[in-house]
Amino acid sequence: MAVKLSWVESANDPQTDFPLGNLPFGVFRRSDGLARLGVAIGDQILDLQATVASGLLAQTDVEISRCCETDSLNALMALGREAVSKLRTHLMDLLSDRGARARVEPALAPQAGAEMLLPAQIGDYTDFYASVYHATNVGRLFRPDNPLLPNYKHVPIGYHGRASSIVVSGADIRRPCGQTKPADAEVPSFGPTRSLDYELEVGFFVGKGNARGEAIPIAEAESHIFGLCLLNDWSARDIQAWEYQPLGPFLAKNFATTISPWVVTMDALEPFRVPAFARAEGDPEPLPYLTATEDRARGGIDLKVEAWLRTARMRAENAPPVKLSQGNLRDLYWTLAQMLTHHASNGCNLQSGDLLASGTVSGATRDSLGCLLEITRRGAEPLQLANGETRKFLEDGDEVILRGYCQREGHPRIGFGECRGIVLPAHPC
């Protein structure tokens, strides 16, 4: 199968995250200080505001062009998947037609000099718990005799996170303070977390929303998903262990969540769709509102996600980061469509730009575990790094880097860029 190429030469590199077949959307700031929409192509960004100003989107709807002149993706998300597909197809034509190069090239800006911003105004954020491997591993650490609670295989479990503390890749992460109570202590104490962790996740943005009081049928769920990004749900495990009963995560998770700046559309991921996770024999079938033939046949996405660590010592020695694990989104017990449908099933009104997350993506093997809580068995088996350092949990100066990509013969590699954050010491508590 011939792969369509771009006149932007860097987009034709087999190792680029952003070939012509990707074209993820984001928000960036140019030297004039103004935020604007952009599309990643190779090592460049196509400035959509400049593209509109040059008359290059005249063949698209007026409403699409107007949305491209805004400073967040919310308006474009609200138009729905069909409109975004139309825009993306037109951009592919512009970036592959060498006859259009002279007109389009002035709208390009190097990624290297751009400041990336949050891609949308995120009104609400919900984090799910969709990996049965992660849920079982964590449950086994805290409840050895009853690792998986009985509701897990019947209902997608999630909690409402904090939208205001979502930051874009590159933002520093301040070690949080909180209340903890070690098992051997009589009373709790307050201070910096000693068990700071990352969680390797994938986020997905709501495109077109639903009215309050109305549900979203599972057969229509994916038409309400704009695209995916990488997500690190930073977690203070000692704070979490003390506070999570009876109502679940709170201060242990709401201090920071990092996302990658580029949002990869569902259209770009189409070649990498796979069947939904195969449930074990004897597992309950999802209830009818969470069941659809199409979702069962291709509700999964063959998306590899990786977690990398670069300590302060590694940076000082100019050493590269080390890979901690690699998981795959296809291993989620619940599909994206099931999560979104369940979220809206009680009439909850999802809005354009709302962010939903998968929960930690872990697999069945030791090298596919998506957080240090699992990798180090709650700190009981410290991680041995090649340079002699060890880690039970994250230390000040550690940088966590998440990466993700889809790859299949006959199709260009579709990447997500990076999701980075460096841990800073806590403020005086």
Side-chain angles (χ1 to χ4, degrees):
M1 178 180 176
V3 175
K4 196 173 184 179
L5 300 179
S6 172
W7 48 261
V8 180
E9 294 302 328
S10 59
N12 303 324
D13 183 339
Q15 295 305 310
T16 183
D17 274 353
F18 309 120
L20 184 64
N22 193 348
L23 301 187
F25 290 85
V27 176
F28 73 110
R29 199 192 313 274
R30 296 190 75 160
S31 57
D32 59 11
L34 299 177
R36 57 191 73 201
L37 303 193
V39 168
I41 176 73
D43 60 6
Q44 302 290 305
I45 301 174
L46 179 65
D47 183 335
L48 293 187
Q49 185 180 99
T51 305
V52 172
S54 300
L56 293 166
L57 296 184
Q59 295 180 11
T60 63
D61 295 343
V62 173
E63 195 170 11
I64 293 177
S65 295
R66 188 180 298 120
C67 291
C68 290
E69 296 180 294
T70 61
D71 59 2
S72 79
L73 285 171
N74 296 71
L76 186 60
M77 290 172 168
L79 293 184
R81 183 168 176 178
E82 185 176 343
V84 175
S85 296
K86 182 177 181 179
L87 171 60
R88 182 172 171 275
T89 298
H90 186 64
L91 295 177
M92 290 180 74
D93 291 340
L94 290 176
L95 291 165
S96 60
D97 180 3
R98 293 190 176 274
R101 179 171 184 169
R103 293 181 296 139
V104 179
E105 204 160 27
L108 293 177
Q111 286 194 40
E115 177 190 359
M116 298 306 300
L117 308 175
L118 285 175
Q121 296 173 10
I122 303 170
D124 272 302
Y125 162 50
T126 301
D127 196 10
F128 283 89
Y129 198 43
S131 166
V132 70
Y133 298 114
H134 174 66
T136 302
N137 291 337
V138 172
R140 189 172 288 122
L141 291 171
F142 291 90
R143 302 180 303 275
D145 298 328
N146 186 31
L148 200 63
L149 296 176
N151 64 346
Y152 185 85
K153 294 184 177 182
H154 292 275
V155 57
I157 302 296
Y159 73 94
H160 288 284
R162 182 75 183 177
S164 65
S165 56
I166 297 173
V167 296
V168 75
S169 177
D172 292 331
I173 304 301
R174 180 72 62 178
R175 180 178 295 273
C177 292
Q179 191 176 130
T180 61
K181 183 183 177 300
D184 58 354
E186 291 187 9
V187 295
S189 60
F190 186 83
T193 177
R194 297 179 179 180
S195 304
L196 184 61
D197 202 357
Y198 69 89
E199 289 194 338
L200 174 57
E201 302 194 23
V202 172
F204 55 108
F205 281 95
V206 175
K208 190 174 182 179
N210 60 301
R212 184 170 62 87
E214 295 183 1
I216 298 176
I218 190 167
E220 301 173 13
E222 288 200 6
S223 68
H224 291 262
I225 299 176
F226 177 82
L228 280 59
C229 65
L230 302 177
L231 184 147
N232 186 345
D233 178 34
W234 303 91
S235 301
R237 300 301 190 183
D238 45 359
I239 298 174
Q240 182 179 359
W242 173 235
E243 73 175 8
Y244 85 103
Q245 295 188 53
L247 292 181
F250 184 33
L251 300 185
K253 288 177 174 285
N254 70 1
F255 60 94
T257 302
T258 305
I259 64 172
S260 55
W262 295 110
V263 185
V264 177
T265 64
M266 296 298 286
D267 283 352
L269 298 172
E270 278 299 309
F272 310 99
R273 303 306 297 268
V274 293
F277 182 84
R279 297 187 168 211
E281 185 176 352
D283 279 7
E285 287 295 318
L287 293 177
Y289 81 100
L290 292 173
T291 302
T293 301
E294 182 73 4
D295 189 57
R296 190 189 300 269
R298 55 193 311 277
I301 302 174
D302 186 8
L303 166 58
K304 296 179 178 65
V305 287
E306 301 173 346
W308 296 70
L309 175 67
R310 197 179 192 201
T311 68
R313 176 177 156 187
M314 291 175 183
R315 289 197 301 280
E317 296 174 351
N318 200 29
V322 295
K323 185 163 71 171
L324 300 179
S325 69
Q326 177 178 288
N328 197 306
L329 201 66
R330 69 189 303 169
D331 288 333
L332 294 185
Y333 194 81
W334 297 99
T335 67
L336 305 187
Q338 287 173 322
M339 287 183 254
L340 185 140
T341 291
H342 179 67
H343 201 319
S345 62
N346 66 343
C348 173
N349 53 318
L350 301 178
Q351 299 179 324
S352 302
D354 283 357
L355 180 64
L356 282 62
S358 63
T360 303
V361 180
S362 292
T365 59
R366 185 67 185 268
D367 61 357
S368 64
L369 304 179
C371 63
L372 288 175
L373 179 68
E374 293 177 84
I375 293 172
T376 70
R377 304 290 197 264
R378 204 180 177 185
E381 300 176 16
L383 181 66
Q384 303 291 324
L385 303 179
N387 66 354
E389 293 184 276
T390 62
R391 287 293 183 274
K392 293 182 179 180
F393 290 99
L394 297 172
E395 297 186 6
D396 294 344
D398 285 349
E399 180 178 27
V400 178
I401 307 159
L402 307 186
R403 296 170 180 160
Y405 60 93
C406 299
Q407 202 159 16
R408 177 185 171 193
E409 187 176 352
H411 295 273
R413 178 183 183 275
I414 301 298
F416 280 67
E418 293 185 332
C419 179
R420 291 174 172 262
I422 295 179
V423 177
L424 300 184
H427 284 304
C429 296

